[in-house]
Amino acid sequence: MHRTYSMRQTRAPTASQIQNPPPPPSSTKSGRLFGRGSLGHALRHRSAGAFGPDLAKKLSQLVKMEKNVMRSLETVARERMDVAQQLSLWGEAGDEDVSDITDKLGVLLYEVGELEDQYVDRYDQYRVTIKSIRNIEASVQPSRDRKQKITDQIAHLKYKEPNSPKIVVLEQELVRAEAESLVAEAQLSNITREKIKAAYTYQFDALREHCEKVAIIAGYGKHLLELIDDTPVTPGETRQAYDGYEASKAIIQDCEDALTNWVSSNAAVSSKLSTRSRTLSQRRRNNLNDMNKTRAMEGHDLSAQDRPLNDDSSWMPASRNKDMEEYSDEEELDEADHRDSVPESDGGLNSETRGRQQEVIAA
């Protein structure tokens, strides 16, 4: 009696979902042989950045590490819901107050698990956006390689054949390659900034919503605990009959209403800048506005920067770069999934580093 196993019998869209429609399910939720558990994590961690152009390797490693984070979040969400169900089953045999409250607590904890599952979907928006920067970095690599190759050829000819007529031809090619590289680098610079802002806006918005809703559930959970009579009784003494069924049901309903009606504009936690931070940030924005106005007055036309180049001999889209054929969405993982074992190395999962490391330059 009085058992409640679902907070919402019908899943009507919440106010937040109406304001900001949820994304499609995360790409990491599809089943994989090595997709779950420590082995899949190890394979992705060790193979990240092992493939593809040099320019994109570091960001490729970040993308794969984020996939490990998402797999872990999925596991936490599933385990949370299993724990909630087990709590409800355990409390069913207890006294009436313990039975009712543990059941309602199970409902709230199950809802936390479902919120974590929704958070994974929104987290994937961030990861996919970051991945697009990686793809642009990989497509810019041929332009850099071509320019470097011509430079090396010129240096070699000047050393071996200083009077060779090929030097003039190569120098002309180098001028064209540098011009094409400028366009590619400008596009990379523009898109990187745009995508970083978009990606981390997705992540922070999702994190804010998730934390606010978890805080709401925690608050109503503490209200439920107040319905348990924890007054000590002497042996043989009978506790007062429990009459909190309607109260616990009302608390669950209030929690549901609070979650349903939550929108970002009603967030309880706000991040307020200090006067100094606000002044410095405003100064930065003013400087940017002044720079943009100056560019507009000087008549710089930047519209051609984001147009793809059609010259197959230089920079080209990733889809047409032969080095990118093995660099698709699941390239590292698909390669690694067929390995029989995970080699041990000093840079494995047990070694943790923080921040940026100074790169070692070979002598």
Side-chain angles (χ1 to χ4, degrees):
M1 302 296 291
H2 302 287
R3 308 304 292 172
T4 307
Y5 293 106
S6 176
M7 176 170 283
R8 301 189 184 108
Q9 299 298 328
T10 58
R11 288 285 175 176
T14 64
S16 177
Q17 289 173 335
I18 293 174
Q19 185 182 72
N20 184 19
S26 164
S27 59
T28 62
K29 290 182 178 178
S30 57
R32 275 190 173 273
L33 179 60
F34 297 109
R36 298 174 184 175
S38 59
L39 180 58
H41 278 229
L43 291 174
R44 279 188 294 273
H45 181 82
R46 296 178 188 277
S47 63
F51 306 94
D54 293 338
L55 179 61
K57 283 185 177 180
K58 289 184 178 179
L59 191 54
S60 176
Q61 188 170 9
L62 173 63
V63 169
K64 288 301 175 183
M65 292 171 69
E66 289 290 11
K67 174 169 280 192
N68 280 349
V69 171
M70 292 176 61
R71 295 284 191 186
S72 299
L73 291 172
E74 290 174 28
T75 301
V76 170
R78 288 193 303 269
E79 296 290 344
R80 182 94 64 187
M81 290 185 275
D82 290 343
V83 166
Q85 291 176 335
Q86 189 62 31
L87 174 63
S88 180
L89 291 174
W90 167 77
E92 188 172 13
D95 294 337
E96 287 189 342
D97 56 346
V98 173
S99 176
D100 181 51
I101 298 306
T102 54
D103 179 49
K104 298 302 192 298
L105 291 176
V107 171
L108 295 184
L109 294 177
Y110 194 93
E111 185 69 12
V112 172
E114 292 196 338
L115 289 176
E116 288 169 337
D117 189 65
Q118 295 170 17
Y119 175 63
V120 171
D121 294 338
R122 293 195 179 276
Y123 197 91
D124 195 41
Q125 283 185 294
Y126 146 77
R127 179 179 170 272
V128 170
T129 306
I130 286 291
K131 192 192 297 185
S132 66
I133 304 177
R134 181 202 68 180
N135 296 339
I136 293 295
E137 285 185 343
S139 64
V140 169
Q141 186 70 52
S143 174
R144 292 186 177 184
D145 292 344
R146 179 171 180 260
K147 186 174 69 172
Q148 185 61 47
K149 181 180 179 181
I150 296 174
T151 302
D152 293 342
Q153 288 176 341
I154 293 174
H156 177 74
L157 284 175
K158 285 183 176 180
Y159 177 74
K160 292 289 186 180
E161 304 177 41
N163 299 322
S164 174
K166 291 183 179 179
I167 295 178
V168 177
V169 177
L170 289 173
E171 287 177 344
Q172 293 174 351
E173 289 186 14
L174 180 60
V175 170
R176 290 195 295 269
E178 288 176 342
E180 293 162 358
S181 180
L182 283 176
V183 176
E185 298 289 348
Q187 185 182 33
L188 174 61
S189 177
N190 293 340
I191 291 179
T192 298
R193 285 159 173 76
E194 174 189 345
K195 296 299 183 180
I196 284 179
K197 292 183 72 172
Y200 282 94
T201 296
Y202 285 140
Q203 181 177 150
F204 292 140
D205 285 348
L207 185 62
R208 185 183 194 186
E209 178 177 349
H210 177 70
C211 293
E212 288 266 348
K213 289 185 174 181
V214 170
I216 290 172
I217 291 175
Y220 284 101
K222 294 189 70 174
H223 287 308
L224 283 174
L225 295 177
E226 296 298 326
L227 301 180
I228 296 180
D229 180 12
D230 60 349
T231 304
V233 295
T234 58
E237 183 181 356
T238 303
R239 286 190 180 276
Q240 184 178 357
Y242 177 67
D243 58 355
Y245 289 112
E246 291 301 320
S248 65
K249 183 178 178 180
I251 291 173
I252 291 292
Q253 186 62 51
D254 288 346
C255 183
E256 178 180 356
D257 293 341
L259 294 175
T260 301
N261 297 325
W262 186 93
V263 290
S264 58
S265 58
N266 296 335
V269 179
S270 61
S271 304
K272 296 182 179 179
L273 296 176
S274 65
T275 303
R276 181 173 183 272
S277 297
R278 204 162 43 242
T279 301
L280 294 174
S281 298
Q282 185 62 45
R283 183 185 303 171
R284 167 64 176 168
R285 288 192 292 269
N286 292 339
N287 291 339
L288 290 176
N289 291 334
D290 293 341
M291 291 173 59
N292 292 333
K293 289 179 181 178
T294 302
R295 286 179 180 176
M297 293 176 62
E298 292 177 353
H300 291 301
D301 183 10
L302 304 179
S303 60
Q305 287 189 356
D306 293 334
R307 283 207 304 264
L309 299 178
N310 297 320
D311 183 3
D312 290 341
S313 64
S314 59
W315 181 74
M316 65 187 75
S319 59
R320 302 182 61 188
N321 180 10
K322 64 180 182 180
D323 294 332
M324 292 293 293
E325 291 176 358
E326 298 177 354
Y327 201 61
S328 59
D329 193 18
E330 296 295 329
E331 70 289 352
E332 292 101 334
L333 185 57
D334 289 340
E335 269 259 344
D337 281 349
H338 294 88
R339 299 179 184 174
D340 295 329
S341 62
V342 181
E344 294 296 331
S345 67
D346 293 336
L349 296 179
N350 294 328
S351 60
E352 179 180 346
T353 58
R354 295 178 181 270
R356 299 176 180 174
Q357 291 180 316
Q358 185 70 26
E359 295 185 0
V360 179
I361 302 177

